[in-house]
Amino acid sequence: MREKMLIFARKKQKKSYLTKQNNMNLQSSVLSKGRILPAVLWLLFVWFLPSQVLLAVAPAEPLMQKAVPVWAAGREKEMNLNLGFRGVFRVGNSREATLRITASTIYRVYVNGEFTGSGPARAAHGYFRVDEYPIGAFLKDGENIIAIEVAGYNVNTYYTLDQPSFLLAEVTAGGAVVLATGNNRDFEVFQLKDRVQKTERYSFQRPFTEYYRMRNGYDQWRISTATPVEQLPPEVFPPVRLLPRNVLLPGFEIIEPVSLLARGTIRKIRPEKYYKDRSLTDISDIFKGFPEAALEATPSQEIQEITTADREIINKSPLLLGTLPLKDNEFCLYDFGVNYSGFIGAKLDCKTPAKVIFHFDEMLTGQDVNSKQRVKDINNQVVYELEPGAYDLETLETYTFRYMQVTVLAGDCRIGKIYLREFAYPANRNATFASSNFKLNAIYDAAKQTSRQNAVDVLTDCPSRERAGWLCDSYFAAIMEKEFTGYSAVTRNFYENYALPDTFQHIPDGMIPMCYPADHYNGSFIPQWSMWFILQVEDYAGRNIDTALIARLKPRIEKLLHYFTGFENEDGLLEKLDSWNFVEWSKANEFVQDVNYPTNMLYSAALAAASRLYGNPGWAQKAEQVRKTILRQSFNGVFFVDNAVRENGKLIPTDHTTEVCQYYAYYFHIVTPTTHPTLWKKLISEFGPNRNDAVTYPKVFRANAFMGNYMRMDLLSRYGLQTQLLPEIQDYFYYMADKTGTLWEHASNYITSCNHGFASYIGHVLYRDVLGIHHIDYAGKTITVRFTDILLDRCSGSIPIGEDVVKLTWKRSGNRIRYAIHAPKGYKVKIENQSNYVIEEGEPGTES
């Protein structure tokens, strides 16, 4: 039943999205062909349109007809208040019914006890995206129950916004509204007291942990009006500004562990010193939460006492083992095979009162789940205190892990099922890659998995610690959304969120947030990330026909570049930039003052990109002047140094040198292999994944995954070194794919995320440099295929383009490469042979 509903929902969403794309194409045709208005008049026209018209295609019908926002009276600003909303309605013979819903902060909805969805998609301050669920497949004759749970967090995070809580929902059937919040008390409103309110934050970047105290039958209110609830008086609030979701809903598929790795017992040992991260100790007016003294429980401290006493290796499928008993201080350790993101679920039967901890992580520490030792600054545990009874448990929040340890600290339980309800963007089956090299195939699969989990509603850095929509990370992630899904729906939402606000609070005028939607009460921002934003907008413009959004972002970029003029020194370089300066997760971040040359290389590129976007020759001239000045000051004849410091009024270059600074210089076209061949030869022959730092240029500090290693991949490609690129891809990324099935934030797995959105970009490298689909010109409808001398016997793959697909298959035999390509209707294919092989078209494997 659920699968039928999801198929129907996706068809409706896809139709809506295609309509939106057609509207964008109309705008582009006006610009490029002058069919309605000359281009200049059209730009003037879109410039003065209201932002709501520009930024969201008007839906075919109102997003809400009767519903208004509601919450428990007087409690809309209360932290971590979880409310239940129960509504009852009847339908006639028709099963065509739709639920439209949004909330602040997050919701989960059930129809007649069936999980239906979780959301909403995130939007800018003061805007709320409406999710739409066809629910006909869940309905029955007579009484139908909608049960909605809403967590109102009211704290500043990088993930959700600190805005007053509310629910806005309505059900339509047969063309009429049959249930609506704020309409004649259609919904009962009550507090869900089984979730403990005064708990720790999950991390510095996310809101509260989940800690539950439950009785048998806690969830019966979802399926029966005979279950009484302690109603609260509701309060109706003024209408809010609504936007369509614009992106597909997750599939919410159920994933079960592939293996019960081990069973065993634990013992509690008090550590000499408990670790307390900033999310516990730094609560204040600018970092909201409950002070430690006010907390009802502190599982982050208790988890540090738990150690393994003994362990029995099982390594069998849970499906073969049936129900598993667990008593005091016993645990089961599960392996889900790869990293997934979603809601933790379990079926438990408790014979006595029990306390159960679900402890999870992306990797094992030794043989144990020990996230506090590996990562420290996140609380990867959910705790349940349960009275005797049978329970179907599922977390309200989404988490990321490969390994799950279920520990019964007290009581007598039986585990019937452990699962994860996946929270990821639906996979497009037209995105494929398969080669004769199993390592490359594993890396591709990891890239696709990483992308899906980091592109649900905005482009996130990681689905675990932060779930934050970061700039720079999203430059790389946006490219992969387009190539893995055929669209840039999530990317458009992401940039639309940056375009909507009139101003951004708490940061300087003209600056934009380093991640958004988010609240930065401490005033922190990353100036470099705002420069990446300009590069991102240019890349988006090249992959999508969306002139209205590009035009709307123009004043945002103009104000940003004006902000930077206040930091230009006598040489035209940026000096002593404020706040958190970030070049790369490496030693390079220690050399950011006073003049940081990688930053200025990026500044030159941002100016040039803005000039191309908006036709401003002054920005192009400034970009070139910055480039020349960097070359004169930073290059010492051997390497580019990272920074210069101001001494007695004079700017003095240091001898600080990093690998990533060299990549910045080539990546942003400060120099080329032609202008600086000696340095280029050093980089390609003496640096890379297998460099011995202690021997080879020990004073040139190593680059990291984010972002030097990815820059290196692009540079090897740009200058035709695919043969070298192939083994480096494997050396940099295969061990990640092998360990977690996802790609990592850092080159090592400690104190870091093992599932980072930017890292999915290696999928683009595989498409471009291994498969050979070198470039897709979406506007010009031209696909360039480039064959090189990579050491690979065969490869096939496909990239979705909207609802169509480009497919390429090739096989090498002797001195020939035989290939077959399918391109969407209207697309031209350009073949470039940069190999030493003879290429011929025809189905591989059919050679005469």
Side-chain angles (χ1 to χ4, degrees):
M1 181 173 68
R2 172 161 184 79
E3 281 66 28
K4 290 181 180 178
M5 189 215 75
L6 287 171
I7 291 169
F8 180 60
R10 289 180 185 175
K11 285 181 178 178
K12 288 193 69 175
Q13 284 188 313
K14 190 171 288 186
K15 182 178 180 181
S16 173
Y17 185 70
L18 289 173
T19 300
K20 177 181 172 184
Q21 290 296 110
N22 290 337
N23 286 339
M24 294 181 189
N25 290 342
L26 173 61
Q27 295 172 3
S28 174
S29 68
V30 170
L31 275 171
S32 62
K33 300 178 182 178
R35 291 178 178 174
I36 301 175
L37 293 170
V40 174
L41 291 179
W42 173 259
L43 283 173
L44 290 173
F45 175 60
V46 299
W47 185 261
F48 291 107
L49 276 174
S51 62
Q52 293 91 332
V53 176
L54 281 169
L55 297 178
V57 175
E61 57 186 80
L63 293 171
M64 292 286 177
Q65 298 180 48
K66 290 186 178 180
V68 292
V70 297
W71 196 252
R75 303 181 71 178
E76 71 277 5
K77 295 185 179 180
E78 193 172 321
M79 289 188 298
N80 200 26
L81 178 61
N82 288 251
L83 297 187
F85 295 80
R86 182 169 63 187
V88 180
F89 67 98
R90 294 175 179 271
V91 294
N93 294 328
S94 173
R95 288 293 185 265
E96 291 288 324
T98 300
L99 168 67
R100 294 183 178 89
I101 182 171
T102 189
S104 176
T105 310
I106 65 169
Y107 73 81
R108 174 170 64 188
V109 61
Y110 294 84
V111 178
N112 292 326
E114 293 280 350
F115 177 93
T116 306
S118 176
R122 287 170 281 179
H125 284 86
Y127 292 85
F128 301 90
R129 297 191 185 276
V130 176
D131 295 339
E132 182 176 315
Y133 298 93
I135 59 173
F138 293 148
L139 301 185
K140 61 184 181 180
D141 293 336
E143 182 179 87
N144 291 276
I145 297 176
I146 297 281
I148 304 170
E149 303 170 22
V150 183
Y153 287 136
N154 283 295
V155 294
N156 53 310
T157 79
Y158 287 5
Y159 157 48
T160 56
L161 294 177
D162 183 11
Q163 299 182 129
S165 305
F166 71 84
L167 170 67
L168 179 66
E170 71 180 24
V171 176
T172 57
V177 176
V178 297
L179 198 66
T181 52
N183 182 46
N184 297 322
R185 301 178 72 89
D186 277 5
F187 283 89
E188 301 167 278
V189 183
F190 50 96
Q191 184 174 354
L192 296 169
K193 295 182 180 180
D194 44 87
R195 183 176 180 183
V196 176
Q197 186 172 9
K198 293 183 178 181
T199 61
E200 306 169 83
R201 291 177 64 123
Y202 173 76
S203 66
F204 178 82
Q205 299 87 352
R206 284 181 66 174
F208 299 99
T209 55
E210 295 182 73
Y211 195 112
Y212 294 93
R213 293 179 177 136
M214 290 178 167
R215 293 182 177 181
N216 188 34
Y218 80 97
D219 54 354
Q220 290 303 296
W221 68 274
R222 300 175 188 162
I223 59 175
S224 173
T225 55
T227 302
V229 295
E230 188 177 339
Q231 291 194 57
L232 299 172
E235 182 176 354
V236 172
F237 295 92
V240 294
R241 291 177 290 186
L242 300 177
L243 295 170
R245 180 181 175 89
N246 288 338
V247 301
L248 294 176
L249 288 159
F252 300 112
E253 285 84 3
I254 297 296
I255 298 171
E256 297 186 43
V258 297
S259 173
L260 173 65
L261 278 183
R263 298 189 61 176
T265 62
I266 62 99
R267 60 174 176 265
K268 281 193 170 185
I269 300 176
R270 294 175 64 89
E272 292 184 11
K273 182 178 181 181
Y274 288 90
Y275 177 78
K276 296 184 178 183
D277 73 73
R278 55 183 174 170
S279 69
L280 179 63
T281 62
D282 291 0
I283 300 300
S284 67
D285 290 340
I286 62 172
F287 181 59
K288 296 172 66 176
F290 296 105
E292 185 177 1
L295 297 174
E296 297 182 56
T298 53
S300 69
Q301 305 305 290
E302 185 177 25
I303 203 74
Q304 296 176 58
E305 301 172 356
I306 297 174
T307 60
T308 299
D310 62 72
R311 176 190 297 103
E312 175 190 3
I313 302 300
I314 305 296
N315 200 20
K316 292 182 180 179
S317 169
L319 298 176
L320 302 175
L321 300 173
T323 300
L324 297 172
L326 282 181
K327 295 184 179 181
D328 296 0
N329 298 324
E330 293 181 344
F331 72 84
C332 286
L333 175 59
Y334 296 91
D335 180 6
F336 280 74
V338 299
N339 254 347
Y340 289 107
S341 296
F343 310 100
I344 298 169
K347 294 182 182 295
L348 300 182
D349 188 358
C350 299
K351 302 302 182 184
T352 67
K355 183 176 181 180
V356 184
I357 294 184
F358 293 78
H359 189 198
F360 47 93
D361 201 359
E362 299 176 273
M363 297 192 69
L364 293 178
T365 302
Q367 292 181 294
D368 298 318
V369 172
N370 193 337
S371 60
K372 278 298 178 187
Q373 181 176 335
R374 191 184 75 83
V375 186
K376 294 185 181 296
D377 290 341
I378 57 176
N379 289 312
N380 272 351
Q381 63 275 331
V382 177
V383 183
Y384 292 90
E385 295 179 14
L386 305 171
E387 294 296 316
Y391 293 87
D392 286 338
L393 305 175
E394 188 166 310
T395 59
L396 185 68
E397 281 283 0
T398 178
Y399 304 100
T400 301
F401 58 90
R402 173 177 173 175
Y403 299 98
M404 166 71 69
Q405 181 167 312
V406 182
T407 303
V408 174
L409 293 182
D412 182 351
C413 292
R414 279 160 178 75
I415 301 177
K417 182 179 182 180
I418 297 293
Y419 68 90
L420 174 140
R421 189 184 300 276
E422 190 182 35
F423 195 60
Y425 203 78
N428 189 321
R429 295 179 180 178
N430 283 334
T432 66
F433 177 92
S435 75
S436 52
N437 184 315
F438 75 93
K439 291 184 177 181
L440 298 180
N441 300 341
I443 293 168
Y444 175 86
D445 291 343
K448 194 172 181 180
Q449 189 65 260
T450 302
S451 177
R452 292 183 60 238
Q453 296 178 45
N454 282 286
V456 178
D457 58 339
V458 298
L459 302 171
T460 56
D461 61 331
C462 62
S464 53
R465 179 186 68 218
E466 304 184 26
R467 300 195 64 82
W470 283 91
L471 295 174
C472 187
D473 298 67
S474 49
Y475 171 86
F476 302 95
I479 293 170
M480 293 325 300
E481 187 212 355
K482 182 77 170 183
E483 295 188 354
F484 282 151
T485 73
Y487 295 102
S488 294
V490 176
T491 301
R492 189 178 197 279
N493 271 14
F494 184 77
Y495 298 146
E496 180 182 64
N497 290 342
Y498 270 93
L500 283 167
D502 294 330
T503 59
F504 294 107
Q505 299 295 314
H506 311 295
I507 59 177
D509 186 44
M511 181 49 60
I512 62 175
M514 57 192 178
C515 59
Y516 195 72
D519 291 298
H520 303 282
Y521 292 167
N522 63 359
S524 182
F525 61 93
I526 300 179
Q528 291 81 1
W529 270 206
S530 68
M531 301 178 206
W532 277 99
F533 175 73
I534 300 174
L535 303 185
Q536 293 180 225
V537 173
E538 184 187 34
D539 184 84
Y540 174 79
R543 297 177 193 275
N544 300 275
I545 300 168
D546 195 352
T547 53
L549 180 56
I550 301 304
R552 189 63 183 172
L553 287 168
K554 183 180 179 182
R556 185 74 78 212
I557 290 174
E558 288 176 328
K559 289 185 68 176
L560 175 62
L561 291 177
H562 177 73
Y563 167 85
F564 283 119
T565 60
F567 293 87
E568 292 174 355
N569 64 16
E570 66 275 14
D571 299 319
L573 300 185
L574 299 176
E575 183 171 349
K576 294 185 178 179
L577 289 175
D578 287 340
S579 201
W580 181 14
N581 282 264
F582 194 108
V583 173
E584 188 202 40
W585 277 131
S586 69
K587 197 76 172 177
N589 274 358
E590 298 180 18
F591 309 137
V592 294
Q593 297 293 355
D594 293 326
V595 170
N596 177 261
Y597 291 114
T599 295
N600 279 281
M601 294 170 188
L602 173 59
Y603 185 44
S604 174
L607 286 164
S611 175
R612 291 187 295 268
L613 270 170
Y614 299 112
N616 186 325
W619 289 337
Q621 292 169 7
K622 181 185 282 191
E624 178 59 16
Q625 186 58 46
V626 169
R627 187 193 71 81
K628 291 179 178 177
T629 304
I630 293 168
L631 187 55
R632 186 171 65 250
Q633 293 185 7
S634 176
F635 190 64
N636 63 13
V638 182
F639 291 105
F640 284 88
V641 299
D642 277 58
N643 66 321
V645 296
R646 186 73 62 174
E647 296 180 1
N648 299 319
K650 187 177 180 181
L651 199 63
I652 308 296
T654 69
D655 61 357
H656 297 144
T657 309
T658 65
E659 181 181 356
V660 75
C661 181
Q662 319 313 308
Y663 296 149
Y664 266 72
Y666 287 94
Y667 194 84
F668 292 124
H669 303 283
I670 305 302
V671 294
T672 69
T674 301
T675 63
H676 288 66
T678 303
L679 175 57
W680 177 248
K681 185 178 180 180
K682 284 190 181 75
L683 290 177
I684 63 173
S685 61
E686 299 180 68
F687 288 79
N690 300 310
R691 174 170 71 115
N692 185 335
D693 300 5
V695 175
T696 306
Y697 303 106
K699 293 185 178 180
V700 179
F701 297 103
R702 177 180 283 273
N704 202 343
F706 189 53
M707 62 206 67
N709 294 350
Y710 283 82
M711 287 180 162
R712 181 179 177 90
M713 299 296 98
D714 272 358
L715 289 171
L716 292 176
S717 172
R718 183 189 298 174
Y719 296 112
L721 296 174
Q722 280 78 10
T723 301
Q724 178 174 344
L725 179 58
L726 189 65
E728 291 197 10
I729 291 172
Q730 298 168 73
D731 291 342
Y732 275 127
F733 304 110
Y734 175 67
Y735 67 94
M736 301 181 187
D738 184 50
K739 286 182 178 292
T740 64
T742 50
L743 301 174
W744 304 352
E745 177 183 14
H746 289 242
S748 103
N749 63 304
Y750 286 94
I751 318 177
T752 183
S753 154
C754 295
N755 189 340
H756 237 63
F758 81 89
S760 63
Y761 182 76
I762 199 64
H764 175 70
V765 177
L766 291 171
Y767 275 146
R768 180 189 62 197
D769 298 301
V770 179
L771 177 60
I773 300 179
H774 179 73
H775 180 67
I776 301 175
D777 179 352
Y778 294 95
K781 292 192 173 183
T782 301
I783 298 166
T784 302
V785 174
R786 179 176 294 175
F787 292 104
T788 62
D789 284 326
I790 59 171
L791 298 177
L792 198 65
D793 291 334
R794 63 184 183 277
C795 192
S796 64
S798 56
I799 301 175
I801 300 177
E803 294 303 290
D804 213 323
V805 64
V806 52
K807 298 179 181 179
L808 175 63
T809 301
W810 59 262
K811 182 179 180 181
R812 188 179 66 178
S813 179
N815 67 339
R816 295 179 179 275
I817 295 176
R818 190 174 178 86
Y819 74 92
I821 186 165
H822 162 82
K825 184 178 180 180
Y827 273 77
K828 297 177 292 184
V829 176
K830 178 183 177 183
I831 303 295
E832 296 180 355
N833 185 12
Q834 296 188 0
S835 74
N836 291 314
Y837 295 89
V838 176
I839 62 170
E840 55 186 20
E841 188 171 4
E843 287 296 330
T846 63
E847 299 88 348
S848 57

